[in-house]
Amino acid sequence: MSTDEEIDIELDDKQLQLDLARVDKTGTALTTDQGIGVDDTDNTLRAGPRGPSLLEDFHLREKIMRFDHERIPERVVHARGSAAHGYFQPYDAALAQYTVAPFLTDPDTRTPVFVRFSTVQGSRGSTDTPRDVRGFATKFYTEQGNFDLVGNNMPVFFIQDGIKFPDLVHALKPEPHHEMPQAASAHDTFWDFVTLQPETMHHLIWLMSDRAIPRSYRTMQGFGVHTFRLVNAEGRSTFVKFHWTPVAGTHSLVWDEAQKISGKDPDFNRRDLWESIEGGVFPEYELGLQLIAESDEFAFDDIDLLDSTKIVPEERVPVTPVGRMVLDRNPDNFFAETEQVAFCIGNVVPGIDFTDDPLLHARLFSYLDTQLTRLGGPNFPQIPINRPVAPVRNHQQDGFHQDDIPLGQANYHPNSLGGGCPFVPGAGLTAPDQNTYVHFREQVDGHKGRKRSETFADHYSQATLFWNSMSAWEKEHIAAAYQFELGKVAPMHIRERMVEHLNQIDHTLAVTVAAGIGVAVREPGPPNHGRISPALSQTTMPGSTGVRGRKVAILVADGVDDIGVAALRERLLAEEALVDVLAPVDGAVTTASGGVLPVDKAMNTVASVLYDAVAVGGGDAAVDVLVADGVAVHFVAEAYKHAKPLIVLGVGDRLVQAARLPVYEVSDRTGDVPSKPIAAALDGVVFLAPDAAPDAAFFAEVTEAIIAHRHYDRPVAGIAA
């Protein structure tokens, strides 16, 4: 027998051995791990279609439990995160009529917080800037115990019932046969799943928008997603939705930029958060609440408050500002704090309670169950970052990593050997006080069954609302995102299914996307309802911090006009912008006046995508060097293509011309007929004429351009960058 034949036999034997472990699921029926047939895996067992989820649902518990324990020790989702310490302080006592929670009602109380921002899809080693949902989780260390507001940067979620969460994440994560792609939704299994689950359509259009690629955690909104309850001292309940709004404004990257940043600096958002806090530019957020009276639960014909795929538009229920959060200290140790922090949505304090949202109820089980595996057992609340500032006294005992040394003989209730302690302080209470939790007394009545309420059935109208509310550039980006993602999907029938869904949202959107992915569009779907909600567009959230915290690059070379550069840099630093002077080489450059100008970085070690604005220094000799440097030419072209502010000092205009940017030529700016047909071509480009001194008007224009963040009216399609 030849050697090759021996190898073939050995390989065949190994394959036969592996065959014993292989399971072909084709043509089979779904069962539990015990082999019990399943009648429904899309709906949790609940008491009535809108009633609470039932603990006896063994299929829900097994499915979620198995999902929670799939990976150790990394989080299954939200594995890559970044965090910071800070404080929250309410503005006034206005919420006292709604809740007994002092951290929301006492303006003299500063509650310590720990906030973790994260991506959802990727592993700990993935990049910061994929197209993805972002986590925004806040742990309030209140005097009454820990309250964890565990939300996202989008106000809705993909699914209505938590029993579908394992299916969603399995479809979203790298495909199991080859473990690709990492931190990306642009693949077959994700789009196969969402096109078979119409309830995902509203969140999906958020994911295709620029909300999925935030500029920074400092400029990212956060939402509690679910409808919760506030409960006052009389036991009266008010429905509430939580909103975090960044004071610096809500801003995003563009997709080309996000992809390039993943290569240039995969820690882009993490680094920005860390460096901002270290530099004293503390991220600040305003907490706002949508408050809905219990009597108005059914006042919205097209919205069920228990449906996490829906928003309540701000035009219908305004967001009331109630307090501010400031993040002012970085963690001392990433593992001990950021990695070991355990957020549990079930951590609530007196005055805050739950609703019967079926996604929320599954999360109430899942988070605690997950921490038991990740953090080595039931004593994870004793890890320093998780410990409440409120005293902990109970009869919990032993287990892995028990750090306390309980004293006494009695570890049970009731007892007499320990003096009855710890005693139950709330016995007989029918409403919460600020120190004792009493569950809201909700009337529950319904037949057990796996049935979803008919009020959850509308899957398209709010996706249409979101689309209608976008500006022209936001719509352009959404359509391009659908084209990019679906272009990565191989099976044509999945692309076709998605276009059919888009046709239910808006026919123009469907036609635009279909044209880019080789799919025909049928006749128009239902007419667009025409409603808008302006608060959904990022254009309505510019922020109020000016250029503070914005990162600006100034390109220079030997022979630079130091007066203009020095004046610009000084002014930007005075307004608390972050300024880097960049040159073809590191170290320093010689100025036109013979001085020395220190350089922060060499241009080839960074890129325009890492900055919010780019400035070009003047000086004939310096500009000669920059024009001959392809890195410098690309730097300004790329910044312009990504709609960023561009500040041009003196003869630095020649670098703009070398980059072939469609801005007015010098003669155009002196009254001649424009050489470019687009009247908005100068939007966001600020020029300082040669030999002109920077004055108040120039700096005002610079500030205005940077505050705007992006200038999307430019003609950029022909720019190769």
Side-chain angles (χ1 to χ4, degrees):
M1 181 182 296
S2 70
T3 302
D4 288 343
E5 289 173 337
E6 290 174 355
I7 292 174
D8 287 342
I9 290 175
E10 289 174 4
L11 289 175
D12 287 343
D13 287 345
K14 184 60 181 177
Q15 293 303 315
L16 289 172
Q17 184 189 61
L18 292 175
D19 279 344
L20 297 176
R22 291 185 171 114
V23 178
D24 185 357
K25 301 175 186 177
T26 304
T28 63
L30 187 67
T31 72
T32 69
D33 282 346
Q34 307 303 318
I36 302 167
V38 175
D39 67 328
D40 185 343
T41 192
D42 294 330
N43 296 283
T44 300
L45 185 67
R46 60 178 68 92
R50 298 184 74 258
S53 302
L54 301 180
L55 189 60
E56 68 185 76
D57 188 349
F58 59 85
H59 177 47
L60 166 72
R61 288 186 285 112
E62 178 189 88
K63 187 175 180 180
I64 294 288
M65 180 274 291
R66 288 297 304 268
F67 170 73
D68 292 341
H69 296 265
E70 284 179 357
R71 292 175 182 83
I72 56 173
E74 185 179 277
R75 288 169 169 88
V76 178
V77 289
H78 298 284
R80 180 172 180 82
S82 187
H85 293 272
Y87 64 86
F88 172 79
Q89 188 168 12
Y91 293 141
D92 52 39
L95 285 178
Q97 62 180 307
Y98 300 106
T99 179
V100 298
F103 84 96
L104 289 174
T105 60
D106 182 0
D108 295 325
T109 297
R110 276 193 174 188
T111 300
V113 299
F114 189 69
V115 180
R116 186 176 186 272
F117 306 100
S118 58
T119 57
V120 169
Q121 305 172 56
S123 67
R124 281 187 61 190
S126 60
T127 180
D128 272 351
T129 58
R131 180 172 296 281
D132 197 2
V133 184
R134 300 303 192 280
F136 192 134
T138 307
K139 186 179 288 291
F140 297 82
Y141 301 97
T142 85
E143 295 294 333
Q144 289 68 44
N146 288 351
F147 169 52
D148 291 355
L149 181 57
V150 193
N152 290 332
N153 71 322
M154 301 176 190
V156 292
F157 200 63
F158 289 103
I159 52 175
Q160 297 170 328
D161 192 313
I163 201 171
K164 296 301 296 175
F165 192 69
D167 299 309
L168 168 67
V169 177
H170 286 171
L172 183 60
K173 285 282 190 174
E175 298 186 9
H177 60 301
H178 57 31
E179 188 64 12
M180 295 187 290
Q182 173 65 243
S185 56
H187 57 99
D188 294 353
T189 57
F190 174 71
W191 288 91
D192 183 41
F193 175 81
V194 295
T195 55
L196 293 170
Q197 294 283 151
E199 68 198 69
T200 64
M201 290 300 129
H202 186 200
H203 194 186
L204 193 60
I205 198 169
W206 280 80
L207 184 65
M208 294 301 104
S209 78
D210 289 355
R211 295 302 191 99
I213 41 176
R215 159 60 181 87
S216 67
Y217 295 135
R218 296 182 291 121
T219 58
M220 186 180 84
Q221 278 187 293
F223 302 90
V225 179
H226 307 287
T227 301
F228 292 85
R229 296 178 186 273
L230 298 182
V231 184
N232 67 10
E234 288 73 46
R236 188 177 73 249
S237 162
T238 302
F239 294 113
V240 62
K241 284 184 172 288
F242 294 96
H243 297 243
W244 290 115
T245 300
V247 176
T250 303
H251 302 295
S252 293
L253 304 170
V254 295
W255 181 230
D256 178 65
E257 182 183 23
Q259 295 176 86
K260 291 174 177 176
I261 290 173
S262 287
K264 298 287 185 180
D265 184 4
D267 302 305
F268 182 68
N269 292 145
R270 177 180 289 186
R271 191 184 312 280
D272 178 271
L273 180 65
W274 181 277
E275 292 182 347
S276 295
I277 293 173
E278 290 296 297
V281 182
F282 299 143
E284 184 174 337
Y285 308 83
E286 183 171 73
L287 179 64
L289 305 184
Q290 285 183 297
L291 298 166
I292 303 169
E294 182 97 10
S295 58
D296 289 336
E297 179 177 4
F298 302 105
F300 311 98
D301 294 338
D302 54 342
I303 303 167
D304 192 318
L305 296 180
L306 305 186
D307 181 357
S308 290
T309 67
K310 303 294 191 302
I311 63 168
V312 178
E314 294 183 30
E315 294 71 40
R316 301 175 73 171
V317 178
V319 175
T320 301
V322 299
R324 73 180 189 127
M325 179 172 70
V326 178
L327 303 182
D328 58 4
R329 185 166 63 83
N330 282 315
D332 293 310
N333 182 273
F334 183 89
F335 177 79
E337 298 171 87
T338 305
E339 189 62 22
Q340 287 198 121
V341 66
F343 293 96
C344 292
I345 197 169
N347 292 349
V348 291
V349 294
I352 300 175
D353 210 325
F354 309 110
T355 61
D356 292 334
D357 176 345
L359 177 62
L360 171 61
H361 281 209
R363 293 179 74 198
L364 288 171
F365 172 78
S366 179
Y367 280 67
L368 178 59
D369 184 55
T370 297
Q371 308 305 346
L372 296 175
T373 291
R374 284 200 66 251
L375 299 173
N379 290 308
F380 68 85
Q382 296 183 17
I383 296 172
I385 193 64
N386 295 320
R387 279 184 177 267
V389 296
V392 176
R393 301 289 184 268
N394 55 47
H395 300 299
Q396 321 292 30
Q397 178 175 307
D398 302 347
F400 289 110
H401 311 301
Q402 172 60 268
D403 293 330
D404 290 341
I405 305 176
L407 303 179
Q409 183 179 358
N411 58 354
Y412 49 87
H413 177 85
N415 72 77
S416 61
L417 297 179
C421 296
F423 63 90
V424 179
L429 287 180
T430 58
D433 61 32
Q434 67 177 35
N435 294 311
T436 306
Y437 197 93
V438 176
H439 288 272
F440 177 68
R441 295 167 59 85
E442 180 186 8
Q443 176 69 36
V444 174
D445 182 26
H447 296 287
K448 290 192 300 185
R450 296 187 185 277
K451 183 175 176 60
R452 200 169 301 186
S453 173
E454 292 299 323
T455 55
F456 282 35
D458 174 15
H459 303 317
Y460 298 106
S461 66
Q462 289 213 340
T464 303
L465 178 72
F466 184 80
W467 172 254
N468 292 347
S469 305
M470 296 296 101
S471 64
W473 60 264
E474 288 172 310
K475 287 183 175 181
E476 178 184 335
H477 293 178
I478 289 170
Y482 276 116
Q483 289 178 339
F484 177 91
E485 297 263 324
L486 291 167
K488 301 282 189 178
V489 175
M492 289 301 294
H493 72 275
I494 297 177
R495 299 188 188 189
E496 291 165 352
R497 273 205 311 257
M498 190 62 228
V499 170
E500 290 177 8
H501 286 302
L502 294 177
N503 208 25
Q504 299 293 309
I505 297 170
D506 180 81
H507 182 62
T508 300
L509 172 61
V511 170
T512 303
V513 173
I517 60 172
V519 172
V521 184
R522 298 182 181 179
E523 293 297 314
N528 185 310
H529 56 59
R531 297 192 298 274
I532 66 169
S533 177
L536 297 177
S537 172
Q538 290 188 100
T539 61
T540 65
M541 293 171 280
S544 59
T545 56
V547 302
R548 184 173 186 263
R550 302 293 177 89
K551 198 168 184 180
V552 182
I554 304 178
L555 308 188
V556 302
D558 285 327
V560 67
D561 177 5
D562 51 336
I563 296 176
V565 168
L568 177 62
R569 183 174 183 274
E570 182 180 347
R571 181 58 176 262
L572 290 173
L573 290 174
E575 296 185 18
E576 297 187 88
L578 307 173
V579 182
D580 280 345
V581 175
L582 310 180
V585 294
D586 209 342
V589 296
T590 302
T591 68
S593 62
V596 175
L597 176 65
V599 171
D600 294 299
K601 296 180 177 70
M603 277 187 290
N604 62 358
T605 65
V606 288
S608 77
V609 294
L610 305 180
Y611 295 90
D612 295 302
V614 174
V616 180
D620 285 312
V623 175
D624 285 344
V625 173
L626 294 176
V627 167
D629 189 326
V631 174
V633 174
H634 182 266
F635 213 101
V636 297
E638 187 175 56
Y640 185 87
K641 185 179 181 72
H642 292 153
K644 295 181 179 180
L646 191 60
I647 303 146
V648 185
L649 305 180
V651 294
D653 189 29
R654 289 199 284 115
L655 182 59
V656 173
Q657 295 177 42
R660 303 175 65 86
L661 302 184
V663 297
Y664 294 167
E665 304 297 334
V666 176
S667 61
D668 298 330
R669 297 200 302 278
T670 58
D672 290 348
V673 177
S675 60
K676 303 297 178 186
I678 306 298
L682 268 181
D683 191 19
V685 182
V686 182
F687 288 95
L688 179 67
D691 301 323
D695 57 13
F698 168 74
F699 286 127
E701 196 174 351
V702 168
T703 299
E704 183 181 0
I706 296 176
I707 288 175
H709 182 64
R710 302 292 172 129
H711 302 271
Y712 287 111
D713 291 333
R714 297 173 181 170
V716 299
I719 299 175

